[in-house]
Amino acid sequence: MIPIGMIDALPFGNSRRVRNANKFTELKASIAIRGVIQSVLLRPAADRFEIIAGYGRWLACLELGLTEIPALIKPLSDEEALEHQMEENLNREDLNIIDECKAVQQLSAFYNGDRQAIADRLAWTMKKVNERIEILKCCDEVLEAVTNGTITVGHAMILAPFSTKLQQGTLSKILTEKWTVSYLRERASKGQQNLALAKFDTAACNTCPHNSAAQSGLFGLEDQKAACSQPNCFKEKTASWLEIRKAELTEQYGTVLLIQQIDESDRNTVDSLVVGEEQFSVGCQACEKRVVLIDDRLGRALGSTYENQCIDNLCFSKCVSALTSPTPIIENEELLVAALENELGNTTPTISTETAPLKAKKAKTEVSCVVPKKVIETNKAMLRQTSVDLLMPQECFQLAMTYAALKRLTSNYKSINKELSNPNRFEDTFKAALRLNVSDLKAEIQNITLHLASIESDQTINITNMMIDNITFAADAKAVAVAKWIPTKEILSEYTIGSLSALCIKAGVDKAMDSKKEGGFSTASSAGKGKFVDAILAAEFDWSGFAPDEYIALIK
């Protein structure tokens, strides 16, 4: 039971956007009579708690003036908390389809627009995910009409591809003239698209019989604006243009999302003024959470791009806060004690601040960055091989691997050595065995071999992570691992242009290029990824002793 006054909302709020007023009234009445039956989910936050799931129950208790609430407390990261919250809301029976769409939108930011990952996480079909994302193309008025039940999802799906202005005008006619879905589909199929707003090459449209401009001057008609009377053809050509445009933008950003996939409240424009020069140049530019959004709605906004969009609200807030509220660090511990004594009223400090003034320096903030998954996997593969090279010659390593493999085949085995009595997972068993001396390990292997008649068991093993986790068992592991990292064309091509720029700035390649030719680095980075990679490899720069931060971070 947790006091209500010790509970706060999560920094990113509740993912449930709409609450049924009648249901909430019923919930309050039930709590007033029976109390809270199902515990809310909280996570520790300093000396207080933050609510993850059970907002309705919490709010009801607040309104009823209750002093405590039953709670399950779990230490969760921001990402885990968001997942728990969304799962709680998505499993509600009264969750409407627009709430589902908004949840998918939040997950799009979480999974960088990976629709398959969203489908897997929700145990939905790809068709269902695609439908929810398609509906999000609708303007707010259309979405509200679906929520209120004045139009159906079928109406919304037909309206989705069109411009906001056309959606709003058509919605009014649907409501006043009671258009059915089939009638709306028929009307939409006859809609003309203004060719002046087309993004694709319209040269072939000039001689197309479906171009209304061909009717100009015929039978006394006034000059006609060029408009396509074949909406399907217009949409197909637009879709092809969008794919080409997305491919161009992918080189720079890595992730290109459609604008309706990310809610406006879940994205922020990031630049050096907002988060600081260092964070932006070597953190944000290399981060896969920095994306570009492209508008695929038909109309004047079609093809509009919104660059440098951060889709990690929590990280963005922390970076902004770190820039605007630096924490001073007192360089001398004795001076810090003296300063505290003064503040508490001690008029005779042990050290005079007149002769030894306190020196505060700006706290060095850690650069935040979510590195692209392909880069991480390449780094892991490289470090795994480095670990093999370092550990294989050691007899203890080979014996530890043998023991862990045998242990995995047994159940209820009681080890001779107490250091091996607790681990159950293959990785933990291997790590514990690796720290024993050779003679003890040989005795353990002989003993477990005799025990192989026991019942077999199975566990999941991640050998790559296991090898990397234990690489420091070898002498000079970090130095050897750094020496193994050599930039090749294949490795550099896995980075986006932004993350390549950040990599070069960290290593000092930018200065090497600029010393050879003024502005050389800027010119190379704006020439496209292929040419940029070639320029980096051609630069007169000694990479020895350098490895990327994300590579080093894997060595624990």
Side-chain angles (χ1 to χ4, degrees):
M1 298 297 291
I2 300 295
I4 295 286
M6 290 185 65
I7 302 174
D8 301 313
L10 280 170
F12 40 84
N14 185 8
S15 62
R16 187 185 185 92
R17 313 292 176 111
V18 181
R19 188 176 299 283
N20 186 301
N22 292 332
K23 294 277 188 181
F24 185 64
T25 301
E26 291 174 4
L27 175 65
K28 280 176 60 179
S30 174
I31 291 175
I33 297 170
R34 304 178 187 85
V36 178
I37 298 172
Q38 182 184 358
S39 300
V40 297
L41 177 61
L42 308 176
R43 72 172 181 178
D47 57 346
R48 296 177 63 79
F49 299 93
E50 290 176 345
I51 187 160
I52 294 166
Y55 266 74
R57 281 160 275 161
W58 176 52
L59 293 174
C61 289
L62 283 172
E63 292 187 16
L64 289 168
L66 301 183
T67 58
E68 58 182 11
I69 190 170
L72 171 65
I73 299 168
K74 294 179 72 175
L76 300 170
S77 67
D78 291 333
E79 291 79 6
E80 290 169 334
L82 180 60
E83 281 203 324
H84 274 71
Q85 188 184 87
M86 284 191 290
E87 188 164 332
E88 163 92 359
N89 285 334
L90 283 167
N91 287 334
R92 291 290 190 200
E93 290 182 2
D94 62 338
L95 197 68
N96 64 53
I97 192 166
I98 303 305
D99 274 338
E100 288 187 357
C101 292
K102 293 294 183 182
V104 169
Q105 203 170 46
Q106 274 195 299
L107 284 172
S108 284
F110 195 75
Y111 289 113
N112 272 43
D114 186 340
R115 298 191 186 190
Q116 186 60 58
I118 295 170
D120 293 343
R121 183 66 186 83
L122 299 177
W124 285 3
T125 63
M126 277 293 289
K127 179 176 181 291
K128 187 173 181 179
V129 172
N130 289 334
E131 285 175 346
R132 270 47 178 183
I133 290 174
E134 184 68 17
I135 292 172
L136 288 170
K137 291 182 182 179
C138 295
C139 62
D140 290 339
E141 291 87 345
V142 172
L143 293 177
E144 186 177 351
V146 173
T147 303
N148 296 337
T150 51
I151 66 171
T152 68
V153 174
H155 288 102
M157 290 290 285
I158 297 170
L159 291 173
F162 296 100
S163 66
T164 297
K165 184 177 180 181
L166 189 56
Q167 286 184 38
Q168 291 168 335
T170 307
L171 175 63
S172 177
K173 289 188 177 183
I174 293 171
L175 297 176
T176 56
E177 299 178 18
K178 310 294 183 184
W179 287 7
T180 64
V181 173
S182 59
Y183 182 67
L184 175 61
R185 185 179 293 109
E186 182 184 345
R187 292 293 298 263
S189 67
K190 296 177 180 178
Q192 289 186 327
Q193 297 295 333
N194 188 348
L195 284 170
L197 302 179
K199 295 296 180 179
F200 55 84
D201 186 357
T202 59
C205 301
N206 294 333
T207 56
C208 178
H210 299 287
N211 184 345
S212 62
Q215 300 171 349
S216 295
L218 300 179
F219 298 99
L221 292 174
E222 299 292 334
D223 285 348
Q224 299 288 304
K225 289 183 177 179
C228 175
S229 300
Q230 264 197 329
N232 288 336
C233 178
F234 189 94
K235 291 175 189 176
E236 287 172 7
K237 289 182 177 179
T238 298
S240 297
W241 177 85
L242 280 169
E243 287 304 312
I244 295 171
R245 181 65 178 135
K246 283 174 68 177
E248 294 170 350
L249 292 167
T250 298
E251 278 200 352
Q252 173 72 32
Y253 290 89
T255 303
V256 182
L257 304 177
L258 303 179
I259 193 167
Q260 83 279 357
Q261 284 185 259
I262 307 296
D263 188 80
E264 192 170 355
S265 63
D266 289 329
R267 59 183 172 92
N268 298 278
T269 301
V270 61
D271 56 34
S272 57
L273 294 177
V274 176
V275 298
E277 182 62 42
E278 181 184 11
Q279 170 60 42
F280 182 70
S281 62
V282 300
C284 299
Q285 283 210 89
C287 185
E288 68 171 6
K289 293 295 182 179
R290 182 186 71 116
V291 305
V292 61
L293 302 179
I294 188 167
D295 200 326
D296 66 331
R297 295 169 295 185
L298 299 179
R300 295 188 181 279
L302 176 67
S304 298
T305 55
Y306 304 84
E307 300 181 357
N308 291 321
Q309 298 296 298
C310 173
I311 57 174
D312 189 334
N313 265 339
L314 294 170
C315 181
F316 179 82
S317 299
K318 289 173 185 175
C319 291
V320 171
S321 178
L323 179 69
T324 56
S325 305
T327 304
I329 298 176
I330 306 299
E331 291 184 330
N332 189 305
E333 187 176 344
E334 293 180 352
L335 294 179
L336 176 59
V337 174
L340 289 173
E341 288 178 348
N342 279 337
E343 191 172 331
L344 293 171
N346 185 348
T347 57
T348 57
T350 55
I351 298 177
S352 171
T353 55
E354 292 181 6
T355 56
L358 291 174
K359 292 183 180 180
K361 62 180 181 180
K362 188 176 178 180
K364 181 170 176 59
T365 55
E366 185 178 344
V367 172
S368 299
C369 180
V370 180
V371 181
K373 291 182 178 62
K374 286 176 66 178
V375 174
I376 292 294
E377 291 308 311
T378 297
N379 287 340
K380 282 188 173 183
M382 197 180 302
L383 282 172
R384 177 177 179 174
Q385 188 56 50
T386 302
S387 178
V388 170
D389 296 342
L390 288 168
L391 298 178
M392 269 301 291
Q394 302 186 34
E395 184 181 12
C396 191
F397 165 78
Q398 298 179 32
L399 292 172
M401 187 69 82
T402 302
Y403 173 77
L406 292 171
K407 177 69 164 59
R408 185 172 181 268
L409 298 175
T410 65
S411 62
N412 302 318
Y413 171 72
K414 293 183 180 179
S415 57
I416 303 171
N417 199 298
K418 63 180 181 180
E419 278 77 14
L420 300 176
S421 59
N422 292 323
N424 291 315
R425 295 170 61 245
F426 183 93
E427 297 92 325
D428 296 334
T429 301
F430 169 76
K431 192 169 191 174
L434 192 60
R435 272 110 188 115
L436 296 182
N437 61 55
V438 171
S439 60
D440 286 345
L441 255 181
K442 286 181 176 178
E444 199 71 59
I445 290 171
Q446 184 178 16
N447 193 53
I448 199 172
T449 302
L450 295 174
H451 190 78
L452 273 176
S454 303
I455 301 171
E456 294 186 1
S457 62
D458 193 16
Q459 298 176 49
T460 303
I461 307 168
N462 189 320
I463 297 294
T464 297
N465 287 348
M466 187 188 78
M467 292 298 296
I468 296 172
D469 287 344
N470 292 282
I471 192 173
T472 52
F473 183 78
D476 300 323
K478 194 169 183 179
V480 174
V482 169
K484 289 277 187 179
W485 192 88
I486 301 172
T488 64
K489 189 165 187 173
E490 291 72 26
I491 289 174
L492 295 181
S493 295
E494 291 178 349
Y495 288 79
T496 63
I497 293 177
S499 54
L500 277 175
S501 295
L503 181 73
C504 290
I505 292 171
K506 290 176 188 175
V509 179
D510 57 329
K511 293 182 176 62
M513 284 189 179
D514 288 341
S515 65
K516 193 76 174 177
K517 181 181 179 182
E518 186 176 350
F521 179 71
S522 177
T523 301
S525 62
S526 59
K529 188 164 77 172
K531 291 182 178 178
F532 190 19
V533 168
D534 291 340
I536 293 171
L537 294 173
E540 295 178 5
F541 182 77
D542 181 10
W543 287 92
S544 61
F546 174 83
D549 291 345
E550 59 270 14
Y551 177 83
I552 298 297
L554 293 169
I555 307 172
K556 298 173 184 176

